[in-house]
Amino acid sequence: MRLTIAQLAKRLEAELVPILSGSAPDKTGSSQISAVGPVETADESEVTFVSDGKHKASLEVSRAGAVIVAERLDGLDKPQLIVKNVNAALIEALNIFAPKLQAVTAGIDPTAKLAQDVKIAEGVSVGAGVVIEDGVEIGQDSVIVSGCKIGENSKLGKNCRLDSNVVIYHNCRLGNNVVIQANSTIGSTGFGYSFIDGSHRLIPHNGGVVIEDFVEIGANCCIDRAKFGNTIIGAGTKIDNLVQIAHNVEIGKCCLIVAQAGISGSCKLGDGVVLGGQVGLKDNIEIGDGAMVGAQSGLSHSIAAGQQFMGSPAIEKRESFRIFGLMKRLPKMTKLLKQLIKRVEKLEAAEDDKE
Amino acid sequence: MRLTIAQLAKRLEAELVPILSGSAPDKTGSSQISAVGPVETADESEVTFVSDGKHKASLEVSRAGAVIVAERLDGLDKPQLIVKNVNAALIEALNIFAPKLQAVTAGIDPTAKLAQDVKIAEGVSVGAGVVIEDGVEIGQDSVIVSGCKIGENSKLGKNCRLDSNVVIYHNCRLGNNVVIQANSTIGSTGFGYSFIDGSHRLIPHNGGVVIEDFVEIGANCCIDRAKFGNTIIGAGTKIDNLVQIAHNVEIGKCCLIVAQAGISGSCKLGDGVVLGGQVGLKDNIEIGDGAMVGAQSGLSHSIAAGQQFMGSPAIEKRESFRIFGLMKRLPKMTKLLKQLIKRVEKLEAAEDDKE
Amino acid sequence: MRLTIAQLAKRLEAELVPILSGSAPDKTGSSQISAVGPVETADESEVTFVSDGKHKASLEVSRAGAVIVAERLDGLDKPQLIVKNVNAALIEALNIFAPKLQAVTAGIDPTAKLAQDVKIAEGVSVGAGVVIEDGVEIGQDSVIVSGCKIGENSKLGKNCRLDSNVVIYHNCRLGNNVVIQANSTIGSTGFGYSFIDGSHRLIPHNGGVVIEDFVEIGANCCIDRAKFGNTIIGAGTKIDNLVQIAHNVEIGKCCLIVAQAGISGSCKLGDGVVLGGQVGLKDNIEIGDGAMVGAQSGLSHSIAAGQQFMGSPAIEKRESFRIFGLMKRLPKMTKLLKQLIKRVEKLEAAEDDKE
């Protein structure tokens, strides 16, 4: 895909500001753009973008053919595409210049194995080697890529996409526009055992998993089914790779769970919660709306809406910074304390002399 | 599945205590139960359970149709099923009310690819697209779900279950009643390299993996094969999702390894060891019988039987709590130290005046 | 495979030193060896090895039939194979005694599904159920084991091996001699969202993944594709199991990334970097050549070549040890401080009396 800068401006509903100085103002609208690139590496055939004023310096030395900005930058020797929301325009530009891939074709690959009692809506694509069990329903235009397995009675909404080798166990429900990347596992039995007569006996997991609309799940994730009721991932929540979500967890809407985080059984997360990478949550705790837990933190108690915690064990974020700063001063503190002891000894000796 | 409370009591070998007060004692035995639910959410069609006295208050407001308890609770307006072991009865009840799924049918799916020299016992089910290489043996009633791969010469005992897309490399041995959930990998080559002439050269892994009876392994786990001998998972040990077990690790019987834990090469765990979620063990250390390592801890040395360690680096648990408590008091300590320095300075000045 | 000690010495280009004392010197060269074993467990049919002097004591009680060493050990009652590089000889010996497996046969399994426009070089093996999309190229002698998926336009060099159920998305490029173990995912879309009008919108990932020659990747790993350009894994780098590598990360040559480590977006690692197990790197930081980050560390800023950091948050390694040592002394420090306060109070009281 190639567009002139003028065409691109139109597509992005941007105001085109031509080159304000320099040698080739007449070329501003007719130069060709074929990709999006970051400020540092973009060349003349690429459009770049700046979300804030910070990058202005690097922008001036950037070779990019044009730049998407929110406000006109004075004195910039480069065509500017002024947009309301740089991030939205960036997404649009990336979609325009996305590498061209073949369109997914609807239909069921002959090597897929579908049980008798399966409902596949119009426009659905089922790839090679996919296994779909009885009672499964798949909504319109969903794409089930090769090697996936969908267990008994699980239901998928419209426009979902399961990438290669995703496994959905029985009795799971996915809403519309759910994306699950390769090798992820949904609905596995949770880690619940009772120690009875000398051995760990598995507690049956009669519940399921509910994944609401517009949830996106990365690669190689695990979401366990519930013992009772459902493990729930709220609408619009996004989950990175290699994340563990245990049985009976309930996650609110529009949360972000970064890679390798682990959420223990029966935790409840509000809406808009952010968990950093490699975070671990103890079981049965609650995280209020909009709360954030910093990367690698281990949180062992509930936190309220909007709170920010970090560390392992996690404490309030500012306190955590303060304490960590003081920990680094421990060698100095130790030295001061030793000196002080000597000074007190000296004072005590002087006092003794007087008596 | 629906049972009257009386029928359920019989199935659980429970003593049925009818409603002790209230309006409908005559209905106690004939009410219908169709599921198990937690105290907080169970409704009249569900039986709930309490493992200890703690939940009595919530029990009184619970809408559950009946409750499984170990000892009769006085004054409770709800039918009670008195059992010897609540956990065992809970497992039984969950099994009774488990969602009805189709029975697995024995036989080999026509799309499975079995090598010539393969021994499949009676009652075994081999799913679609499964690949089984030469020398493999699978014991009676084992279930190999779709998409699995079993490498050359690996042996599975009776009544094992490999869920979808599990990969077992060559020369691995699984005992009886082993369960491995979807997308797990058993017998991959371990991370062992020698740096020779400017590059990392892989140390061949001639050993295998031995997984003993009644071991259960979660989804997306990795268990590496040994360089020499075997990586061993002892009987009855249970492993959660996304766990990493490196080459030549030996794990004892009835251990619990929680999600995302990682055990480095050649570690030896005794029986009944518990590793919390996201724990990391340094290579070549030993963990005594019944020892516990708290979630997210990083243990870099051996610990004896029964010890409990936590933190990163991990120290003895109580000491860890104490030190973490003092860390949180560092701001106060720093302040006290500063004040003290001033007070000593003042005393020193007074002393100087006298001289 | 069985070799006499004399034959093995020849294969390893080792100098054979017969038994220097003891009862059976005449058997030195003719005894049979059939495996490699560690000093502690090797029996008479096994050759063992010692990389340094440390193991001499255990060597004397070892039952091993022979030992590979770098320098002749005096007074050892065991045949010695003197080699220049013990590690290289060990690798060679392990290869000699590797369990015999069937040779991979070139050819395309009839159940594999190849698109029209695919270039498969000579000697390539494509296993059962593999799916290969249009534009894919696979170099000579590469092995694609069962259940793999290779997406549109991805290219693999010569002599690569993808183990079962590996998923390579579109537009990825693998060099020669790349090994990826089972259930790993390469080229998934990274975790990049913009919050626009009340929801997280995915930033399209137009880039790809480049994996250079001799890279080896463990099982169940995830390497995300780039937003722009490529996520790059440099030649000779080795990656353990369950590792997360985010979008636009660039890793240099001959790095070692231990299991469950996570590298956030756009990090740049130099050559020869070592990341311990469960390490987490903040996004957009740089790690200089040969730097090391200790297991479980969380690094939130760039570090220079050769630096060693550890802890979460990570600090310089020696400082980290020192501070951790002082943390363990916090109870004592607290006590000293309290005592000191009392002593100062006493001095102050004495001073007051004088005034």
Side-chain angles (χ1 to χ4, degrees):
Chain A
M1 169 66 70
R2 289 186 159 277
L3 293 178
T4 63
I5 293 174
Q7 288 169 325
L8 178 60
K10 203 172 171 189
R11 288 281 291 270
L12 300 181
E13 296 179 17
E15 176 197 351
L16 173 57
V17 178
I19 294 177
L20 300 177
S21 63
S23 56
D26 55 324
K27 280 181 61 189
T28 294
S30 60
S31 291
Q32 300 271 320
I33 297 292
S34 61
V36 184
V39 169
E40 299 78 17
T41 63
D43 67 20
E44 284 176 26
S45 69
E46 292 176 309
V47 63
T48 192
F49 57 98
V50 288
S51 319
D52 49 41
K54 276 195 301 190
H55 290 90
K56 210 195 146 188
S58 27
L59 196 55
E60 275 164 5
V61 295
S62 171
R63 294 167 53 233
V67 59
I68 300 168
V69 287
E71 287 183 20
R72 179 189 294 220
L73 297 169
D74 289 335
L76 183 67
D77 186 15
K78 202 177 287 302
Q80 301 179 34
L81 306 176
I82 318 289
V83 297
K84 274 186 213 151
N85 185 320
V86 171
N87 289 325
L90 170 62
I91 288 173
E92 180 62 18
L94 282 163
N95 278 324
I96 290 169
F97 297 116
K100 201 166 164 50
L101 297 173
Q102 293 185 359
V104 172
T105 52
I108 294 166
D109 190 276
T111 62
K113 186 182 168 76
L114 276 61
Q116 293 272 340
D117 174 25
V118 161
K119 285 184 191 149
I120 307 281
E122 212 180 340
V124 167
S125 167
V126 175
V130 168
V131 174
I132 299 181
E133 295 187 340
D134 267 316
V136 167
E137 296 178 16
I138 302 180
Q140 198 177 318
D141 295 327
S142 285
V143 177
I144 315 299
V145 181
S146 63
C148 289
K149 154 79 176 278
I150 306 179
E152 221 170 318
N153 298 324
S154 285
K155 323 279 184 205
L156 282 71
K158 297 177 190 178
N159 201 30
C160 291
R161 195 185 87 220
L162 306 187
D163 285 344
S164 300
N165 297 349
V166 164
V167 176
I168 311 275
Y169 281 77
H170 58 277
N171 290 343
C172 297
R173 293 202 310 274
L174 280 63
N176 300 321
N177 300 291
V178 171
V179 174
I180 304 180
Q181 295 201 74
N183 285 319
S184 280
T185 303
I186 312 297
S188 36
T189 300
F191 198 65
Y193 291 92
S194 291
F195 196 70
I196 298 172
D197 296 341
S199 68
H200 299 292
R201 284 188 55 201
L202 181 66
I203 299 168
H205 281 59
N206 288 358
V209 176
V210 170
I211 298 178
E212 298 180 356
D213 296 350
F214 290 101
V215 168
E216 297 180 8
I217 296 171
N220 293 70
C221 287
C222 297
I223 302 182
D224 283 339
R225 65 191 315 106
K227 283 192 275 191
F228 324 102
N230 288 297
T231 304
I232 300 169
I233 315 294
T237 285
K238 313 296 182 185
I239 297 174
D240 202 345
N241 299 331
L242 290 162
V243 166
Q244 153 71 359
I245 296 178
H247 47 203
N248 286 87
V249 166
E250 297 183 13
I251 298 181
K253 297 185 200 311
C254 292
C255 296
L256 294 175
I257 318 286
V258 182
Q260 297 176 318
I263 307 181
S264 300
S266 301
C267 284
K268 283 194 175 61
L269 279 65
D271 298 336
V273 169
V274 177
L275 303 186
Q278 300 180 333
V279 158
L281 301 188
K282 191 175 171 295
D283 57 310
N284 283 292
I285 65 174
E286 299 193 19
I287 312 287
D289 293 347
M292 298 180 73
V293 185
Q296 283 198 333
S297 299
L299 187 64
S300 55
H301 55 81
S302 296
I303 62 174
Q307 287 196 296
Q308 306 202 355
F309 268 63
M310 63 183 297
S312 178
I315 54 178
E316 196 278 327
K317 189 178 170 179
R318 274 169 310 183
E319 198 192 351
S320 160
F321 279 122
R322 195 169 159 215
I323 285 170
F324 187 71
L326 291 173
M327 274 171 56
K328 288 204 281 192
R329 294 189 60 239
L330 273 177
K332 202 181 167 187
M333 269 184 76
T334 309
K335 205 176 161 187
L336 280 175
L337 187 59
K338 278 187 188 164
Q339 290 171 343
L340 205 56
I341 289 171
K342 283 198 182 147
R343 286 160 70 180
V344 169
E345 278 167 3
K346 204 173 161 186
L347 287 165
E348 286 169 339
E351 189 66 23
D352 285 352
D353 287 347
K354 286 172 207 154
E355 285 166 12
Chain B
M1 169 66 72
R2 289 186 158 278
L3 295 178
T4 63
I5 293 174
Q7 288 168 326
L8 178 60
K10 203 172 171 188
R11 288 281 291 272
L12 299 181
E13 296 179 17
E15 178 197 350
L16 174 56
V17 179
I19 293 178
L20 300 177
S21 63
S23 56
D26 56 322
K27 279 181 60 190
T28 294
S30 59
S31 291
Q32 299 270 321
I33 297 293
S34 61
V36 184
V39 169
E40 297 78 15
T41 63
D43 67 21
E44 285 178 26
S45 69
E46 292 176 309
V47 62
T48 193
F49 57 97
V50 287
S51 319
D52 49 40
K54 277 195 301 190
H55 290 90
K56 211 194 148 190
S58 26
L59 197 54
E60 276 164 5
V61 296
S62 172
R63 296 167 50 233
V67 59
I68 300 168
V69 286
E71 285 182 23
R72 180 189 293 221
L73 297 169
D74 289 337
L76 183 68
D77 185 15
K78 202 178 286 302
Q80 302 179 34
L81 306 176
I82 317 288
V83 297
K84 274 187 210 149
N85 185 321
V86 171
N87 289 325
L90 171 62
I91 288 173
E92 180 63 18
L94 282 163
N95 278 324
I96 289 169
F97 298 115
K100 201 165 165 54
L101 297 173
Q102 293 185 358
V104 172
T105 51
I108 294 166
D109 191 276
T111 62
K113 185 182 168 77
L114 276 62
Q116 293 273 339
D117 174 25
V118 162
K119 286 183 190 149
I120 307 281
E122 212 180 341
V124 166
S125 167
V126 175
V130 168
V131 174
I132 300 181
E133 296 186 339
D134 268 315
V136 167
E137 296 178 17
I138 301 179
Q140 199 176 319
D141 295 327
S142 285
V143 176
I144 315 299
V145 180
S146 64
C148 289
K149 154 78 176 279
I150 307 179
E152 222 172 316
N153 297 323
S154 284
K155 323 279 186 206
L156 281 70
K158 297 177 189 177
N159 201 30
C160 291
R161 195 186 84 220
L162 306 187
D163 286 345
S164 300
N165 296 351
V166 164
V167 176
I168 313 275
Y169 281 77
H170 58 278
N171 290 342
C172 296
R173 293 202 311 273
L174 280 63
N176 301 320
N177 301 291
V178 170
V179 174
I180 304 179
Q181 295 200 73
N183 284 320
S184 280
T185 303
I186 312 296
S188 36
T189 300
F191 199 67
Y193 291 91
S194 291
F195 195 71
I196 298 172
D197 296 341
S199 68
H200 298 293
R201 284 188 56 200
L202 181 66
I203 300 168
H205 281 60
N206 288 358
V209 175
V210 170
I211 298 178
E212 298 181 356
D213 296 350
F214 291 100
V215 167
E216 296 179 9
I217 297 171
N220 294 70
C221 287
C222 297
I223 302 183
D224 283 340
R225 63 191 315 106
K227 284 192 275 192
F228 325 102
N230 289 296
T231 303
I232 300 170
I233 314 294
T237 285
K238 313 296 181 185
I239 297 173
D240 202 344
N241 299 332
L242 290 163
V243 167
Q244 152 71 358
I245 297 178
H247 47 202
N248 286 87
V249 166
E250 297 183 15
I251 297 181
K253 296 184 200 313
C254 292
C255 296
L256 295 175
I257 318 286
V258 181
Q260 297 176 317
I263 307 182
S264 301
S266 301
C267 284
K268 284 193 175 63
L269 279 65
D271 298 335
V273 168
V274 177
L275 303 186
Q278 300 180 332
V279 158
L281 300 188
K282 191 176 171 293
D283 57 311
N284 281 293
I285 65 174
E286 299 193 20
I287 312 288
D289 292 346
M292 298 180 74
V293 184
Q296 283 198 333
S297 299
L299 187 65
S300 56
H301 56 81
S302 296
I303 62 174
Q307 287 196 297
Q308 305 201 354
F309 268 62
M310 64 183 296
S312 178
I315 55 179
E316 196 278 326
K317 188 179 171 180
R318 273 169 310 183
E319 198 192 350
S320 159
F321 278 123
R322 196 170 159 213
I323 286 171
F324 186 71
L326 291 173
M327 274 170 58
K328 286 203 283 191
R329 295 189 59 238
L330 273 176
K332 201 179 167 188
M333 267 185 78
T334 308
K335 203 177 163 188
L336 279 175
L337 188 58
K338 278 186 188 163
Q339 290 172 342
L340 206 55
I341 290 171
K342 284 197 183 148
R343 286 159 70 180
V344 169
E345 278 167 1
K346 202 172 162 187
L347 287 165
E348 286 169 339
E351 189 65 23
D352 283 353
D353 287 347
K354 288 170 205 157
E355 284 165 15
Chain C
M1 169 65 73
R2 291 186 156 277
L3 293 178
T4 64
I5 292 175
Q7 287 169 327
L8 178 60
K10 204 172 169 188
R11 289 281 291 271
L12 300 180
E13 297 179 15
E15 178 197 350
L16 173 56
V17 179
I19 293 177
L20 299 177
S21 63
S23 56
D26 56 324
K27 280 182 59 189
T28 294
S30 59
S31 292
Q32 300 271 321
I33 297 293
S34 61
V36 183
V39 169
E40 299 78 16
T41 63
D43 67 20
E44 284 178 26
S45 69
E46 292 177 308
V47 62
T48 192
F49 56 97
V50 288
S51 319
D52 49 41
K54 278 195 300 190
H55 290 90
K56 212 195 146 188
S58 27
L59 196 55
E60 275 163 5
V61 296
S62 171
R63 293 166 53 234
V67 59
I68 299 168
V69 286
E71 285 183 23
R72 180 189 293 220
L73 298 170
D74 289 335
L76 182 68
D77 185 16
K78 202 177 286 302
Q80 301 179 34
L81 305 177
I82 318 290
V83 297
K84 274 186 213 152
N85 185 320
V86 171
N87 289 325
L90 170 63
I91 288 173
E92 179 63 19
L94 281 164
N95 277 325
I96 290 170
F97 298 116
K100 201 166 165 50
L101 297 173
Q102 293 184 358
V104 172
T105 51
I108 293 165
D109 191 276
T111 63
K113 184 181 169 77
L114 277 62
Q116 293 272 339
D117 174 25
V118 161
K119 287 183 189 149
I120 308 281
E122 212 180 341
V124 167
S125 168
V126 175
V130 168
V131 173
I132 300 181
E133 295 186 340
D134 268 315
V136 167
E137 297 178 16
I138 301 179
Q140 200 176 317
D141 296 327
S142 285
V143 177
I144 314 300
V145 180
S146 64
C148 289
K149 154 79 176 279
I150 307 179
E152 220 171 317
N153 297 325
S154 285
K155 323 278 185 204
L156 282 70
K158 298 177 188 176
N159 201 30
C160 291
R161 195 186 85 221
L162 306 187
D163 286 345
S164 300
N165 298 350
V166 164
V167 176
I168 312 275
Y169 281 78
H170 58 278
N171 289 343
C172 297
R173 292 202 311 273
L174 281 62
N176 301 319
N177 301 291
V178 171
V179 174
I180 304 180
Q181 295 201 71
N183 285 319
S184 280
T185 303
I186 311 296
S188 35
T189 300
F191 199 66
Y193 292 90
S194 290
F195 195 71
I196 298 172
D197 295 341
S199 68
H200 299 293
R201 283 187 57 200
L202 181 66
I203 299 167
H205 281 59
N206 288 357
V209 176
V210 170
I211 299 177
E212 298 180 355
D213 296 350
F214 290 101
V215 167
E216 296 179 11
I217 296 171
N220 293 70
C221 287
C222 297
I223 302 182
D224 282 340
R225 65 191 314 105
K227 283 192 275 190
F228 324 102
N230 289 295
T231 304
I232 301 170
I233 316 294
T237 284
K238 313 297 182 184
I239 297 173
D240 202 345
N241 300 330
L242 290 162
V243 166
Q244 153 70 358
I245 297 178
H247 48 202
N248 286 88
V249 166
E250 298 183 15
I251 297 180
K253 296 183 200 314
C254 292
C255 296
L256 295 175
I257 317 287
V258 181
Q260 297 176 317
I263 307 182
S264 300
S266 302
C267 284
K268 283 195 175 60
L269 280 64
D271 298 336
V273 169
V274 177
L275 302 186
Q278 300 180 332
V279 158
L281 301 188
K282 193 176 171 293
D283 58 311
N284 281 292
I285 64 174
E286 299 194 20
I287 313 288
D289 293 346
M292 298 179 73
V293 184
Q296 283 198 332
S297 300
L299 187 65
S300 56
H301 56 80
S302 296
I303 62 174
Q307 286 196 297
Q308 305 201 355
F309 268 62
M310 65 184 295
S312 178
I315 54 178
E316 196 278 326
K317 188 178 170 179
R318 274 168 311 182
E319 198 192 351
S320 160
F321 279 123
R322 196 169 158 214
I323 285 170
F324 187 70
L326 291 173
M327 274 171 56
K328 287 204 282 192
R329 293 188 61 238
L330 273 176
K332 203 181 167 184
M333 269 184 77
T334 309
K335 203 177 163 187
L336 280 174
L337 188 59
K338 278 187 188 164
Q339 289 171 345
L340 206 56
I341 290 171
K342 285 199 181 146
R343 287 159 71 179
V344 169
E345 278 167 1
K346 204 173 163 186
L347 288 164
E348 287 169 340
E351 189 66 23
D352 284 352
D353 287 347
K354 286 171 206 155
E355 286 166 12

